[in-house]
Amino acid sequence: MESIGVLMACPMNTYLEQELEKRFLLFKFWDFPDKALFLDTHRSTIRAVVGNATAGADAELIENLPKLEIVSSFSVGLDKIDLAKCREKGIRVTNTPDVLTEDVADLAIGLILAVLRRLCESDRYVRSGKWKKGDYKLTTKFTGKSVGIIGLGRIGLAIAKRAEAFSCPISYYTRTKKSDVNYTYYPSVIELASNCQILIVACPLTEQTRHIINREVIDALGPKGVLINIGRGPHVDEHELVPALVEGRLGGAGLDVFENEPEVPQVLFGLENVVLTPHVGSGTVETRTVMADLVLGNLEAHFLSKPLLTPVV
């Protein structure tokens, strides 16, 4: 398989990059400033694209790669891949579900605790020497808080399970009510936000879920509510979120993803009631290695005419 051209859309994982270089003819898209010239030169060589949550395979790239057979995503999300175009052209698509579920759910709980208990601010309080001048202010407990989850797939369910351990009542919103869970269902996001203290975004990004967190939802969550986003940045309308946090119309937020990553609204940097992480939901050595192996396994299965491990298309 050393002669099979594989295009890596952006830097994502050193181990994955090294293994791809060992097994395939790897092209690193970021090494070629003139993308049009590169595609024109190698359009007949590249048979696979490896993408992630930052860059994948849009319609333009797919059209420029007539020999493309498979897009393997180093991510569970598929919003950077034009799935309709892939179906139209018979291009296979895979992702990395399940293996990152636990890490993302762990981070969601970590963000909740960090926001409510002001862990980051408390850390700065000690480091700055302010503790010598007096105790830090009282914060808010997590145990027993009502938790609402948008999206009750693998990750949403894993978050719910963890929140239950904190004696939190769980409610959720999905397009249709689930018959296999006992959590309270609300048929709209606004109703969910109105009936919980912590609102967690854990759904896939689609045109229907883009800006699912808007002014109405934020106001429904209210000045004592906390928003946690471990989904995708565009789930939240940042133009509405930022002023709500500044004005105190929203109590706090824990954000792992942003609309225009790696750009983050600078106003958030000065807010004590906000915790920011750089899209690290699955960012552990253990999980990223398993994810990389899954990408490699899907590529090898495809080119050996074996069943794909995690097919999407």
Side-chain angles (χ1 to χ4, degrees), residues 66-82:
K67 302 295 184 182
L68 184 62
E69 300 174 26
I70 182 171
V71 178
S72 188
S73 181
F74 183 68
S75 168
V76 68
L78 299 163
D79 49 287
K80 296 298 182 180
I81 302 172
D82 192 320

Side-chain angles (χ1 to χ4, degrees), residues 177-199:
K177 185 177 181 179
K178 292 185 174 289
S179 60
D180 56 346
V181 297
N182 294 320
Y183 307 134
T184 301
Y185 173 73
Y186 289 102
S188 75
V189 177
I190 291 178
E191 289 179 81
L192 178 66
S194 299
N195 288 280
C196 70
Q197 295 164 290
I198 301 166
L199 182 62

